[in-house]
Structure formats: structure tokens, C-alpha cells
């Protein structure tokens, strides 16, 4: 036979057989699955038959093959079986109802659970935190303003300065009527033209989407949260009596002049000691209950943004500054009263009130509810005379008995009335002074 002659029948069979052996060996895992064998178990059995020692193979359930499981593995995972698509166990757990059994849970199969992807959590992704504006620097817009209470779009923070970018300077009030307070934080506000902004801010930056709140005060105040929401609520003139609103929830609250802790920083090896947090003017529970999606950030966080090498565009910001407001306050009125000069609805507080009612699981009532919060046990501060306090309490209780009112008398002292009791009484109240 010549060396270039075509293969005969015997040589063809040898080539086909060799190819089949190679193909099956190369795809050994799939081949075993095709014939109904678990590859990991088979590896372990073959290794053990040839005395090759322990098996490193892992089966589909995350364990070693049955013949290679030791006491440690059985102690950690257990000895029960695991059917694919089911919770590991002996099978009895599949019929368990909620609140029964040691874990008080109902066990479901993957088929019963269905799609695990869930719904969309918003239209933004992690790719939307950066902007390249080139020559078109985002320009600022004044949305609402009275002295000390303002809403602006597209302000830019960079290198210790808050920039208002505009070519129409007359469309904005003086910066001191927006922010007057001067403290240790980087909170110097400056109007800049688009031409100068190109040179100062460059052609790209990051963006803080959503709604940002800011209290520019150097010292926190108990009217801060009230003023912020009142100012923000003016963007929806159609808030319903039941609290329905189109306003998106605020995303973050900045205190650029206030540090997170009031005590000195401890030495490095005392980093685990409990620190005293700053008093923001409102109870920390209140913000978490009324605005659970809002993150509070302090001077340290504000400085971090300024120290980064790129500017940050704040898409929308609600700014309150009590010091700036005091210059225009009418005599005898509180510092937050200018916020009520902005256009709005008499139902402005209802979204927050109804959220708190739901959080506290307070059922609706048709009664008129009156709440009297007193400071009689406070060691300092304003208090009514003892005889006047007693007379008021007596009159309120008489009104409750004779006219069917629901009356709550609560103390501002935490040890006497806890936050849940006090807040439940406040949000249920229907008799209160209206600010229109």
C-alpha cells in the first residue's frame, strides 16, 4: 500500500473510535450527566478505588460526594438530602406554615418563589453619577425664595465654594439672603457666569441626583425639619387632605456647619468608645420614621465633597438659614415664619403626618384630638406657672368628658413620656394652629 493511499475500513474504524474516546473524555462531565451520573461523585469514587486519597470534588449542593463527607462537614451542613430546586431538609419542612417550627418560617421551592429579579428600584443606575458637559456648564435656576428659605436647581460645589452658575444675575437675590451663617464649614456661596464657570469648573463632574436638603445654620434648631418640609411642600400646591402628594422624597440632608460628634476625637486605641452625637434639633427617631430614605450628612461629609478633584452638581437643593431669615421676620414671629409666606396648601403637613400615623400604627379617628405638651419637669427654660398648668389640665379633662374630645397630656421629658407616646399624640392631634 502506498503511503498516500486512502485509509481502509479497519483504519477508519480505529480513527472513529479514537475520536469518540477523545470527545467523551474531553467532555467527561457532560457525558456523565448524559448517562445520569453525578460527575463529582464519580470522580470521588474513581479516586477512592485507585487509592488516590481524599476527593477535592464538590457536588451541586456545595458538599463533597457522599463517600467523602467527614464529621466536620456533617456538623456544619447536616446529613439531610438536598433536592435541586428545594430547601435542604428531610422534606417535612415543605408543608410547614408560617409561625410554625423552630424558625417560624414557611419554606418554598424555587418554582413557588418564581422570578427573583424583582421590580425596578428606579430609573437611575450607577452609570448616571457622572456628567461630561463640555462647554455647556449646567446653569442654576431659582425655584422658590424668601429670605432664609430657598429652592434652587443645579448648584455646583467645588473646592470650598458653592457656585450659582448664571448669566442673568438679576434673576437671583443676594447670596446673603439665601445663606448668611458663617461657621467652620465650607459654605461660601458665589455667583459665577457660564464663561468663568468653564475655566473654574472644567468640562465634567459628578452629580447628586434627587432632592437635597441643607440646613446652613451654625447651631441646630428645633424648627429645622419643620422649615425644610414647609419650604419643599410649596412645590406641590395640590397636596390632598389625606396627604397624597407628587413630591419625591428627599434623598439627603446636609449640615455643612455642624460636626457629627460634640466631644473631642478620641485617641486611636479608644476608637470603640461611645461618642456623643450632635443635637440636630429633632429626635433621631423622627427623621427615620418620617423620611426613612433620607441620609443625614454633616460637616465632615460636606468637606469630603469639596476636597474631591471634580465638581459636584446638586440637581435640586432646599436651603434653610435661620440667620438669613431673621433679618426679614416681623416682630413677634418665629424665625421659620417666612417659609409660610411662600405659596402652598393648607394641607402641607399631611404627607408627613400620615406617614407617621402609618409608622406608629395609629388608626384613624373621627374625634377631635387635642394634645398639650408641657415642660413642667424641665429644670431650665420656659415653663407656665404651676397653678396655670393645673388649671389647664383640669379644663382639658373636663372638655374631654363633656364634649367627647380625645385629650393627650404629655411631657417633653423623655423619662416621663417616651418618643412613641409623645409622637403618637402629636400626629393624631386635629386641633392645632394653622399656618396658611
Amino acid at each position: 500500500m502506498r503511503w498516500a493511499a486512502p485509509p481502509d475500513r479497519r483504519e477508519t474504524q480505529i480513527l472513529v473510535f479514537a475520536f469518540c474516546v477523545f470527545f467523551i473524555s474531553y467532555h467527561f462531565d457532560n457525558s456523565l450527566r448524559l448517562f445520569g451520573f453525578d460527575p463529582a461523585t464519580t470522580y470521588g469514587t474513581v479516586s477512592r478505588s485507585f487509592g488516590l486519597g481524599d476527593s477535592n470534588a464538590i457536588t451541586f449542593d456545595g458538599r463533597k460526594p457522599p463517600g467523602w463527607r467527614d464529621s466536620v462537614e456533617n456538623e456544619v451542613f447536616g446529613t439531610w438530602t438536598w433536592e435541586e430546586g428545594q430547601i435542604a431538609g428531610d422534606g417535612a419542612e415543605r408543608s410547614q406554615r408560617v409561625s410554625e417550627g423552630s424558625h417560624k418560617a414557611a419554606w418554598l421551592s424555587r418554582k413557588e418563589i418564581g422570578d427573583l429579579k424583582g421590580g425596578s428600584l428606579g430609573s437611575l443606575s450607577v452609570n448616571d453619577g457622572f456628567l461630561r458637559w463640555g462647554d455647556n456648564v449646567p446653569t442654576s435656576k431659582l425655584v422658590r425664595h424668601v429670605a432664609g428659605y430657598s429652592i434652587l436647581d443645579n448648584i455646583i460645589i467645588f473646592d470650598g465654594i458653592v457656585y450659582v452658575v448664571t448669566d442673568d444675575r438679576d434673576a437671583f437675590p443676594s447670596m446673603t439672603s439665601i445663606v448668611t451663617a458663617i461657621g467652620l464649614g465650607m459654605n461660601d456661596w458665589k455667583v459665577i457666569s457660564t464663561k468663568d464657570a468653564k475655566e473654574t469648573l472644567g468640562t465634567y463632574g459628578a452629580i447628586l441626583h434627587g432632592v437635597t436638603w441643607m440646613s446652613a445654620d451654625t447651631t441646630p434648631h428645633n424648627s429645622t425639619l419643620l422649615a425644610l418640609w414647609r419650604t419643599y411642600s410649596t412645590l406641590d400646591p395640590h397636596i390632598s387632605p389625606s396627604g397624597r402628594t407628587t413630591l419625591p422624597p428627599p434623598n439627603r440632608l446636609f449640615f455643612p456647619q455642624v460636626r457629627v460628634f460634640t466631644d473631642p476625637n478620641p485617641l486611636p486605641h479608644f476608637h470603640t468608645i461611645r461618642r456623643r452625637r450632635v443635637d440636630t434639633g429633632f429626635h433621631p427617631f423622627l427623621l427615620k420614621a418620617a423620611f426613612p430614605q433620607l441620609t443625614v450628612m454633616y460637616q465632615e461629609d460636606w468637606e469630603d465633597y469639596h476636597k474631591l478633584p471634580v465638581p459636584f452638581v446638586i440637581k435640586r437643593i432646599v436651603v434653610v438659614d435661620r440667620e438669613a431669615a431673621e433679618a426679614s421676620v416681623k416682630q413677634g414671629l418665629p424665625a421659620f415664619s417666612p417659609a409660610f409666606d411662600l405659596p402652598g396648601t393648607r394641607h402641607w403637613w399631611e404627607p408627613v403626618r400620615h406617614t407617621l400615623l402609618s409608622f406608629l400604627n395609629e388608626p384613624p379617628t373621627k374625634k377631635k384630638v387635642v394634645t398639650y405638651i408641657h415642660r413642667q419637669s424641665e429644670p431650665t427654660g420656659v415653663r407656665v406657672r404651676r397653678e396655670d398648668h393645673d388649671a389647664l389640665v383640669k379644663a382639658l379633662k373636663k372638655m374631654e368628658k363633656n364634649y367627647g374630645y380625645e385629650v393627650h397630656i404629655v411631657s417633653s421629658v423623655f423619662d416621663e413620656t417616651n418618643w412613641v407616646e409623645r409622637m403618637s399624640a402629636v400626629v393624631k392631634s386635629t386641633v392645632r394652629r394653622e399656618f396658611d
Side-chain angles (χ1 to χ4, degrees), residues 56-85:
N56 293 322
I58 301 297
T59 59
F60 74 94
D61 61 3
R63 294 185 290 174
K64 291 183 179 180
W68 297 98
R69 294 171 188 168
D70 53 25
S71 59
V72 175
E73 184 160 1
N74 290 335
E75 178 70 22
V76 172
F77 187 86
T79 57
W80 47 70
T81 59
W82 185 6
E83 296 181 28
E84 194 166 4

Side-chain angles (χ1 to χ4, degrees), residues 153-435:
D153 288 347
N154 292 338
I155 69 161
I156 302 177
I157 59 176
F158 181 59
D159 198 20
I161 298 176
V162 181
Y163 290 99
V164 175
V165 182
T166 182
D167 288 327
D168 185 6
R169 181 61 184 85
D170 294 336
F172 290 83
S174 66
M175 292 297 101
T176 54
S177 71
I178 297 176
V179 173
T180 299
I182 300 176
L184 299 176
M186 300 176 178
N187 206 29
D188 182 19
W189 287 59
K190 181 179 180 180
V191 178
I192 188 173
S193 68
T194 54
K195 180 181 178 181
D196 292 337
K198 295 175 188 177
E199 300 176 1
T200 304
L201 303 175
T203 59
Y204 62 90
I207 182 169
L208 296 180
H209 290 283
V211 179
T212 300
W213 285 0
M214 175 193 287
S215 169
D217 299 330
T218 54
T219 55
H221 194 264
N222 57 16
S223 66
T224 297
L225 194 60
L226 175 79
L228 280 165
W229 175 254
R230 169 58 189 174
T231 305
Y232 183 46
S233 70
T234 62
L235 297 180
D236 183 4
H238 305 296
I239 297 175
S240 71
S242 62
R244 303 296 298 177
T245 179
T246 58
L247 293 172
N251 299 88
R252 61 197 68 86
L253 168 56
F254 278 116
F255 288 98
Q257 309 280 13
V258 178
R259 293 196 176 276
V260 63
F261 297 116
T262 59
D263 56 329
N265 291 331
L267 296 173
H269 52 285
F270 290 116
H271 65 277
T272 58
I273 65 173
R274 191 171 180 83
R275 307 288 302 278
R276 181 176 177 82
R277 291 186 294 178
V278 70
D279 180 3
T280 56
F282 47 83
H283 198 286
F285 292 177
L286 177 59
L287 203 66
K288 296 174 177 63
F291 305 101
Q293 66 291 315
L294 186 145
T295 300
V296 181
M297 291 187 274
Y298 298 89
Q299 181 178 329
E300 293 87 346
D301 305 288
W302 182 250
E303 289 175 351
D304 287 343
Y305 283 102
H306 282 279
K307 291 176 181 178
L308 287 167
V310 297
F312 278 79
V313 179
I314 300 181
K315 195 69 177 175
R316 169 159 288 177
I317 188 168
V318 181
V319 187
V320 301
D321 187 316
R322 201 168 70 256
E323 188 175 331
E326 287 174 346
S328 63
V329 171
K330 297 177 183 177
Q331 187 175 5
L333 292 179
F336 58 79
S337 59
F340 291 87
D341 294 334
L342 293 169
T345 167
R346 68 190 306 268
H347 305 301
W348 65 274
W349 183 246
E350 294 306 307
V352 178
R353 192 173 81 87
H354 279 78
T355 297
L356 289 170
L357 282 171
S358 299
F359 180 87
L360 297 166
N361 198 27
E362 288 290 347
T365 178
K366 294 183 179 180
K367 289 184 177 182
K368 290 186 176 180
V369 183
V370 180
T371 298
Y372 169 39
I373 303 177
H374 65 82
R375 295 173 42 88
Q376 296 308 105
S377 300
E378 295 279 7
T380 60
V382 179
R383 297 185 302 278
V384 300
R385 291 183 301 179
R386 180 68 188 180
E387 56 269 27
D388 292 339
H389 168 75
D390 293 341
L392 179 56
V393 171
K394 183 178 179 180
L396 288 172
K397 289 186 177 297
K398 183 178 179 180
M399 184 178 67
E400 182 179 33
K401 180 180 179 180
N402 295 342
Y403 298 100
Y405 279 50
E406 181 179 336
V407 175
H408 298 275
I409 300 171
V410 297
S411 171
S412 62
V413 178
F414 188 78
D415 292 337
E416 296 180 3
T417 307
N418 64 40
W419 180 84
V420 173
E421 292 179 72
R422 186 163 61 247
M423 191 52 58
S424 296
V426 169
V427 298
K428 285 194 299 183
S429 299
T430 56
V431 179
R432 58 192 184 276
R433 182 179 178 183
E434 294 283 357
F435 291 92

